[in-house]
């Protein structure tokens, strides 16, 4: 399978070619689904560069988002295991001020496919809504997604709100998305960070089993 062609087709926002290649990946048994997903993500980098250069506009970003959602839907059955038994519940959301949810939705698909129940609070999530849900649903694992640089401030505010509610000692918090790093983890006060949904999956499984 030519994944460079897929990457470029995503970058060119060529829906027909993208869907055609992804459907072929699935017809071939889906063993290359993860490579295909990575190629799509690299294609989105091209979209980001074009946006930076002023050649693409916000409408193109929205279209890229919709294209990526379709891509995940096609690849989803092949992206992870087939577990049906629940291993536990986590909260996942995009933090306050950030409306990007494509990466978050990929993470959710992978966690659910591995038997983790995900309470998805959506985008632009106020810290208090997270705290209220933690209490109402008795949740001890919280995953915060953010794509904008300013998301780091909201992640810190969220960790602070969890601490102020007296829940920090019994909660594991992971931050994910483009701007996160070891340094961001220390700055926000989270327990872990990840760019890769597979790493997140393993961290959740380890935390939920304890
Ligand atoms: C699509 C898109 C949009 C869409 C979002 C649609 C949607 N439903 O999400 C729309 C049009 C809404 C949008 C809006 C804006 N966007 Co925008 N957008 C993008 C774009 C092209 C792709 C983002 C994306 O979905 N990537 C694909 C996913 C799969 O990648 P990801 O989000 O990084 O997620 C992966 C990992 O980070 C990780 N991950 C993500 N979440 C989590 C969570 C956990 C727990 C874990 C473990 C991992 C994880 O796993 C994912 C899979 O590997 C990027 C450029 C780029 N190349 O990234 C710009 C980009 C993110 N946007 C940008 C900007 C500036 C904006 C706007 C301010 C534009 C404007 N002028 O209005 C607004 C901001 C709105 C807001 N308040 O959030 C900048 C951000 C700059 C910055 N550093 O802050 C970027 C980088 C473009 C650029 N080069 O300037 N955008």
């Amino acid at each position: 399978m030519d994944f460079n062609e897929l990457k470029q087709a995503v970058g060119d926002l060529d829906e027909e070619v993208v869907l055609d290649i992804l459907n072929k990946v699935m017809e071939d048994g889906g063993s290359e689904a993860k490579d295909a997903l990575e190629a799509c993500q690299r294609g989105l980098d091209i979209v980001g560069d074009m946006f930076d250069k002023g050649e693409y506009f916000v409408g193109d970003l929205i279209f890229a988002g919709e294209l990526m959602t379709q891509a995940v839907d096609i690849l989803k059955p092949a992206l992870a295991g087939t577990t049906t038994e629940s291993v536990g519940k986590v909260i996942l959301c995009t933090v306050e001020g950030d409306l990007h949810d494509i990466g978050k939705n990929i993470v959710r698909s992978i966690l659910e496919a591995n038997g983790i129940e995900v309470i998805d609070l959506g985008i632009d999530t106020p810290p208090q809504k997270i705290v209220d849900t933690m209490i109402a649903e008795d949740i001890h694992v919280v995953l915060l997604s953010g794509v904008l640089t300013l998301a780091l401030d909201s992640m810190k505010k969220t960790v602070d709100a969890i601490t102020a509610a007296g829940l920090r000692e019994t909660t594991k918090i992971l931050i994910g998305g483009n701007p996160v790093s070891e340094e961001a983890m220390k700055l926000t006060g989270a327990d872990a960070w990840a760019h890769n949904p597979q790493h997140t999956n393993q961290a959740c499984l380890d935390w939920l089993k304890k």
Side-chain angles (χ1 to χ4, degrees), residues 52-118:
D52 275 345
K53 285 186 203 149
E55 287 175 40
Y56 279 174
F57 302 99
V58 171
D60 297 308
L61 294 190
I62 293 172
F63 184 74
E66 287 165 359
L67 188 58
M68 197 65 193
T69 305
Q70 285 189 68
V72 174
D73 281 347
I74 295 174
L75 297 172
K76 202 170 169 179
L79 280 177
T82 50
T83 319
T84 48
E85 206 176 303
S86 168
V87 289
K89 269 195 229 175
V90 303
I91 287 176
L92 171 68
C93 64
T94 303
V95 293
E96 193 165 54
D98 196 330
L99 307 179
H100 295 81
D101 67 354
I102 301 166
K104 169 183 76 61
N105 294 343
I106 294 175
V107 172
R108 188 183 70 200
S109 301
I110 292 175
L111 297 181
E112 286 179 345
N114 283 283
I116 296 169
E117 275 184 68
V118 179

Side-chain angles (χ1 to χ4, degrees), residues 37 40-41 43-49 51-52 58-66 68-69 92-93 97-107 123 143-150 174-179 193-197 199-201:
L37 184 63
C40 290
Q41 284 171 229
L44 280 170
D45 292 339
I46 300 176
V47 176
D49 289 345
F51 180 71
D52 275 345
V58 171
D60 297 308
L61 294 190
I62 293 172
F63 184 74
E66 287 165 359
M68 197 65 193
T69 305
L92 171 68
C93 64
D98 196 330
L99 307 179
H100 295 81
D101 67 354
I102 301 166
K104 169 183 76 61
N105 294 343
I106 294 175
V107 172
I123 55 175
L143 313 176
L144 303 175
S145 174
V147 170
L148 299 174
T149 311
L150 65 78
L174 181 142
I175 56 170
N178 250 348
W193 65 280
H195 286 147
N196 182 327
H199 291 165
T200 315
N201 185 51

Side-chain angles (χ1 to χ4, degrees), residues 181-204:
S181 60
E182 182 81 21
E183 203 189 337
M185 181 189 82
K186 288 182 188 148
L187 177 96
T188 57
D191 297 297
W193 65 280
H195 286 147
N196 182 327
Q198 300 294 348
H199 291 165
T200 315
N201 185 51
Q202 197 50 53
C204 289

